[in-house]
Amino acid sequence: MTKVASLPPTSTLDAMRAVSPALEHYTNGVLLGDLWKRPQLSARDRSIVTLAVLIARNQTTDIPFYLNLALDSGVKPNEFSEIVTHLAFYSGWGNAASAVVAAKPAFDKRGITLSGLPAVPGEQLPIDEAAEAQRATAVEKNFGAAAPGVVHYTTEALFHDLWLRPGLTPRDRSLVTVSALVATGQFAQLTYHLHRAMDNGLTKAQASEVMTQLAFYAGWPNVFSALPVVKEVLEKRPG
């Protein structure tokens, strides 16, 4: 059963009530009272999507609330740690560093210590040699001459290291990546990463509902700009 989201801190609701009572109305009614109760996506997945948006867009005010909600909904501390690390590569080091500062009080309050966080380095997941060879060849052919440094780190740091860290499943890494791409309007890479997400276990129904979650947290314009890509991918997928 999808867990119902709790209310934001009283101080946040008081601020909404004082500045934008309509925002409080939609927050309590549509956002937390309806969207988070939809069964098409678990509260855990909704939390991952939402945190990815907040981190990618450096919107740190809401991170403590949604981090606590995520931890209560089944996201483990080590998984959140990996989400932040993953987004350092996909949304920039500064955004990840800001997320760490925003999240640390929640970790401290819950007594989360290094013993519960991923090892550095750690044992890696197996790599899909054929798929990785195809990806690396295409990137080298397209951009090897123009940006050899980017190509080098794309292979060595991202796909031969980051994506193989076991602290986050490949499906969840894809969920984080797709959410961040939509949230920041980076649609050029959405086709590849949405296909990868579905290869990693994200279903068509879940992919569709991710867009619904993103409409509220990344904004309707970003989602409607992404939907032609999403539609094309879903139409090409079997089933």
Side-chain angles (χ1 to χ4, degrees):
M1 178 180 292
T2 300
K3 185 174 181 177
V4 178
S6 58
L7 292 176
T10 301
S11 58
T12 301
L13 292 176
D14 287 345
M16 288 182 181
R17 197 173 297 117
V19 176
S20 180
L23 178 59
E24 181 200 15
H25 166 75
Y26 287 120
T27 299
N28 289 334
V30 180
L31 195 72
L32 300 178
D34 188 7
L35 176 69
W36 278 81
K37 295 180 181 179
R38 286 170 59 87
Q40 293 90 339
L41 206 62
S42 70
R44 179 184 179 278
D45 283 348
R46 291 187 189 279
S47 294
I48 290 173
V49 169
T50 304
L51 285 169
V53 172
L54 297 177
I55 296 168
R57 293 165 65 138
N58 200 16
Q59 297 173 331
T60 58
T61 299
D62 282 342
I63 285 179
F65 169 70
Y66 284 105
L67 173 55
N68 279 304
L69 179 58
L71 294 171
D72 290 341
S73 300
V75 176
K76 299 175 182 176
N78 70 293
E79 292 173 327
F80 176 74
S81 177
E82 283 295 316
I83 289 170
V84 174
T85 303
H86 191 86
L87 287 172
F89 288 87
Y90 282 91
S91 68
W93 242 252
N95 287 345
S98 296
V100 166
V101 173
K104 190 175 184 299
F107 270 41
D108 291 343
K109 188 173 182 179
R110 288 175 178 254
I112 299 168
T113 64
L114 281 174
S115 63
L117 302 182
V120 185
E123 182 180 351
Q124 292 187 319
L125 298 173
I127 192 169
D128 185 332
E129 297 285 357
E132 172 54 18
Q134 184 178 28
R135 182 211 62 77
T137 299
V139 172
E140 175 64 34
K141 179 180 179 181
N142 287 329
F143 307 116
V150 174
V151 172
H152 168 75
Y153 287 115
T154 298
T155 295
E156 298 304 322
L158 263 70
F159 290 101
H160 287 185
D161 191 350
L162 180 71
W163 276 87
L164 302 181
R165 289 178 57 80
L168 206 59
T169 67
R171 174 192 178 277
D172 288 347
R173 286 195 187 277
S174 288
L175 188 58
V176 169
T177 307
V178 167
S179 299
L181 291 176
V182 175
T184 54
Q186 302 296 326
F187 308 122
Q189 301 203 16
L190 186 56
T191 297
Y192 170 78
H193 279 290
L194 186 54
H195 273 298
R196 187 181 181 99
M198 300 183 77
D199 289 342
N200 286 334
L202 192 71
T203 69
K204 284 186 174 182
Q206 289 168 341
S208 174
E209 189 65 13
V210 166
M211 294 303 121
T212 305
Q213 185 79 3
L214 286 170
F216 285 86
Y217 287 94
W220 255 254
N222 279 331
V223 167
F224 264 95
S225 294
L227 282 179
V229 177
V230 175
K231 179 175 181 286
E232 183 178 12
V233 171
L234 293 183
E235 288 175 347
K236 289 182 178 179
R237 302 293 301 190

